Every structure is written in structure tokens, then in C-alpha cells.
Amino acid sequence: MGLFDTHAGLSARYDAARSAGQMPTGVIMDQLLSASEAIINGKRTITVGTHNYLGLAFDEACIEAAIAAVRREGTGTCGSRVANGSFSEHLALEQELASFYGMRHAMVFSTGYQANLGIISTLVGAGDFLLLDADSHASIYDACKQTQASAVRFKHNDAASLDARLRRLAGEPGNKLVVVEGIYSMLGDMAPLKAIVEVVKRHGAYILVDEAHSMGVLGERGCGLAEQEGLLDQVDFVVGTFSKSLGAVGGYCVSSHEQFDILRVACRAYMFTASLPPATVASTRAALKVVRERPQLRAKLWENVHRLYNALDGAGFQLGSTPSPIVAVCLQDEATTLAMWRALLDRGYYVNVGLPPATPSGESLLRCAVSAAHSQDQIDGLANQMISFGQASGALQKLRGSAKA
Ligand code: PMP
């Protein structure tokens, strides 16, 4: 058997999509024009497929902070903080994150993926239990592979299912860590956090909330779902990313646990990789300041979310259960999804594609990532193009038919 034979099934789908000119994984942005526009295939295109929720990847203050940091401290750190030392800006960012959440400690990582991978796999080990929502992000699933803890899945957003799993483990001496997400990345739905935290506390378990898509989006200060639900003091660990609302790249974990700092010399994803470069740290600090000081961006984001969600819902599309900056449009099959994605790109709108196995319940979907940077015209334009494709292709009629059946 050849080295690549295990990927034969995937190869067939990859080749078919490529030959049909439908390659969502191969989009090239020739030029970025703003937080909401790019030149793709030589054409001016509205980008509704990046998670630049507050538009901060193009914020003037963030850009200037990054430029100044490069001039001051160079382009890269060229090593890990454990081996080569921290830059004082790493520590400043960590202090600002901790105080933003009202927690004692913060640790930053080179990506959000590594934050989940590192924190989860270091917190639990042999004899422990990791309880994860079935729709968890790949970084959480991959953390399961890196730890000797037993992984136990519970039904998506189902506190009763979590309760049943924890009841079954009641006699087990190991620690139990429950992991959920604030907003789920494929369907944009939110965790029923109050019910989940109640179950976690009743069973003496710990809870980690991944707020990758909810930081900057939910809560009065923009901390995420735990803040919105008044549960920040009940949550043991919050993980997040700099690659969405903060417009950069990187990840973090905050916690008030006294011994949290030991993770700096135990967590492999933190220890054995180069630390965040100066430009990224500086732009992230500036972006965090914007999140704190300009709540009106959050209000604008939600205005855009409701505008798109209501337009598509009214037209009969099948959407994720609650409005959120991820507006997921579930379609009948992979072929319709890819055809609609291609048609939208040809008409000047870039959205994401979600296909199995990356999606829950084998859904084929288009994922629109709404931003505060979008104008009403851009949002309306996308909705109109989706509806016109849905009608012309028969996809909307089929959805109406299956809703009645
Ligand atoms: N958690 C969730 C829920 C995500 O959706 C993502 C990325 N899409 C990550 C973690 C990883 O974040 P990053 O892009 O910073 O690696």
C-alpha cells in the first residue's frame, strides 16, 4: 500500500471539485482592499468568509501598532519563550487579557488551535476524563489524541446527555474536564451554558469554554458567552483566539486557578514552538483596547447579523438555530453547495463552504461570516444573490418541499 493510499477517497472528491472549478480550499486573494473587500480572480469581491468580526484586521490603530513594533523589535522572536525568554510585550498582553476577563492568569499561544491542543492535553492525563460536545472543533478533538485521559462525547448542546455521562463516571477517581464552545464554528449556535455549568458543578467537574467565535461578539465587555450569561466566575478556563474578533493570529487561555502558571513548563504546545511575533502582539493589544472602548462595533455587527439572518430565513433557507456572526446556510447536498458557492464567487461574494466530515451530522453548508465592517448594501447584496441562486437552481423549492414532508 502506498503512502498516500489512505487518502484515496479524499483525492477523488478533491480532483472532482478541482476539475469542476469549484475549489473552496484553493481561493487566492490577489489583493486585500479593506476589511470587507478583496480582489479574487481579478475581480472586486465582497468577503463574507473571514472571521474578521469587528473589522479590526484593517483598523488603523492596530496597523500602526504592528508597524511600530516591527521597527522596534524586529520581524520575529525566533524561538520559544521557555528557551529564549519572553518579550515584555508578551507579558503586557497576558496581563491585559487577564484583567479583561477579571481572572488571575493568562497565557498566550502561537495559534488558537495550539491553545486548545496544549491546555486540554496538559490539564488531563491518565485516569482522567475529557467530556466534549460532539460538535467540538478539530483542535479539541486533536487534544484528545494527545492525552491519555479517556475522551467521552456527549450530545451537542445537551446538558442532560452530559449529566448522564458524568453520572456514569461518578465512582471514578480521576478528574473530569468538560469542554464546550461559546459559539459553534459550523452552525453558529451557542452552548446552553447555564444548564451545562449547573451539571458540571453538581458533579464536581471542571469546565473550559472555547470562546473563539464569541470573544468580541457576546457579553457587555465582549468577553464572550460566559460573560453574557453571568458565569465568568464559574468557568475554570476560557480559551480564545486572536484570529477572529482581534484580527490577527494567536491564541490564549485565561484562568483564576492558583497553579495555572505551572502550565508554562508543562504544556508542550507552548514550550516547543516559537512565540508570537512583535507585530502580532502589538496589533492584538491595540485590538483588545478597541474591543474594550468601542462597544458600538459589536452593536453594528449584530445589526448586520440580524439583517442577513432575517433575509435568508424569510426566503425559506434552512439556517443555524440562532442568529450569530456565523450564518450557516444548510443545503441539500455537496453538489448544490459547491455550485452555489461558485455562483456567489462569480457574482462577487466570497463565503465559506462546510462539507462532511468537518460538519455536524454530515451537513453540506455555506457559512457566511458577518462583520461590523460590512455595509447594509453588502449584506443585502449577498442575501439577494443567495436567494436568486436558490430560486433559479430549485434549491429553495426543494427545501420548502422537504419542510412540508
Ligand atoms: N476553536 C474554534 C471553535 C475554532 O473555530 C478555531 C478556528 N476556526 C480555533 C479554535 C482555532 O483558532 P486559530 O485559528 O487561532 O488556530
Side-chain angles (χ1 to χ4, degrees), residues 111-113 116 137 139 181 185 210 212-213 241 243-244 250:
T111 65
Y113 176 90
N116 268 337
H137 185 258
S139 53
E181 295 173 28
S185 56
D210 177 351
H213 292 275
T241 175
S243 71
K244 306 195 191 305

Side-chain angles (χ1 to χ4, degrees), residues 51 53 109-116 135-140 180-186 210-213 239-244 248-252 326 367:
H51 300 286
Y53 295 133
F109 290 79
S110 301
T111 65
Y113 176 90
Q114 283 164 293
N116 268 337
D135 286 5
S136 288
H137 185 258
S139 53
I140 298 168
V180 296
E181 295 173 28
I183 292 180
Y184 281 84
S185 56
M186 279 296 155
D210 177 351
E211 303 266 22
H213 292 275
V239 165
T241 175
F242 303 149
S243 71
K244 306 195 191 305
V249 67
Y252 63 90
I326 298 167
R367 208 165 49 138

Side-chain angles (χ1 to χ4, degrees), residues 29 57 68 85 109 115 192 197 205 214-215 232 238 256 272 387:
M29 312 244 172
F109 290 79
V197 166
S214 33
M215 189 270 182
L232 262 183
V238 171
S256 284
F272 296 108
I387 293 165

Side-chain angles (χ1 to χ4, degrees), residues 41-321:
N41 301 331
K43 185 180 175 135
R44 208 177 174 99
T45 303
I46 315 291
T47 49
V48 199
T50 69
H51 300 286
N52 192 8
Y53 295 133
L54 301 178
L56 299 187
F58 271 84
D59 181 82
E60 214 35 58
C62 298
I63 290 172
E64 288 308 322
I67 292 170
V70 171
R71 297 222 177 277
R72 210 172 46 239
E73 292 165 7
T75 52
T77 60
C78 308
S80 108
R81 290 172 65 182
V82 181
N84 300 31
S86 295
F87 286 27
S88 59
E89 300 271 316
H90 288 130
L91 297 172
L93 174 57
E94 287 174 341
Q95 274 155 13
E96 284 159 9
L97 280 165
S99 94
F100 179 61
Y101 279 94
M103 302 231 187
R104 266 193 245 170
H105 305 282
M107 235 168 115
V108 296
F109 290 79
S110 301
T111 65
Y113 176 90
Q114 283 164 293
N116 268 337
L117 193 71
I119 291 287
I120 295 170
S121 65
T122 313
L123 285 172
V124 286
D128 294 330
F129 297 90
L130 183 53
L131 293 108
L132 64 155
D133 185 286
D135 286 5
S136 288
H137 185 258
S139 53
I140 298 168
Y141 273 105
D142 290 356
C144 298
K145 295 182 193 159
Q146 289 231 337
T147 167
Q148 290 183 39
S150 307
V152 180
R153 278 197 309 176
F154 59 92
K155 272 195 214 143
H156 176 54
N157 274 352
D158 189 334
S161 166
L162 172 64
D163 193 18
R165 304 286 186 280
L166 281 169
R167 250 184 286 135
R168 223 175 294 151
L169 298 175
E172 298 285 349
N175 286 313
K176 286 124 201 166
L177 176 67
V178 175
V179 179
V180 296
E181 295 173 28
I183 292 180
Y184 281 84
S185 56
M186 279 296 155
L187 293 174
D189 49 344
M190 297 174 204
L193 201 57
K194 276 202 178 95
I196 284 178
V197 166
E198 188 278 316
V199 171
V200 165
K201 298 292 162 188
R202 186 151 41 78
H203 288 278
Y206 296 91
I207 179 158
L208 179 152
V209 183
D210 177 351
E211 303 266 22
H213 292 275
S214 33
M215 189 270 182
V217 169
L218 297 175
E220 210 176 312
R221 301 200 305 277
C223 294
L225 182 66
E227 188 208 349
Q228 176 177 284
E229 300 298 299
L231 294 167
L232 262 183
D233 59 342
Q234 309 275 309
V235 162
D236 297 282
F237 307 94
V238 171
V239 165
T241 175
F242 303 149
S243 71
K244 306 195 191 305
S245 286
L246 298 175
V249 67
Y252 63 90
C253 179
V254 293
S255 174
S256 284
H257 277 270
E258 232 161 82
Q259 294 126 307
F260 184 76
D261 225 37
I262 195 66
L263 297 177
R264 291 191 195 273
V265 288
C267 178
R268 299 171 69 82
Y270 174 84
M271 294 160 68
F272 296 108
T273 194
S275 59
L276 286 168
T280 301
V281 175
S283 79
T284 302
R285 290 184 67 195
L288 191 57
K289 190 160 179 280
V290 176
V291 170
R292 284 197 307 259
E293 294 177 356
R294 285 167 58 196
Q296 59 273 29
L297 282 179
R298 214 154 31 253
K300 176 72 184 2
L301 168 67
W302 279 101
E303 219 179 273
N304 284 343
V305 165
H306 289 298
R307 200 172 178 88
L308 182 63
Y309 191 95
N310 291 341
L312 297 178
D313 190 40
F317 279 110
Q318 188 195 324
L319 307 177
S321 57

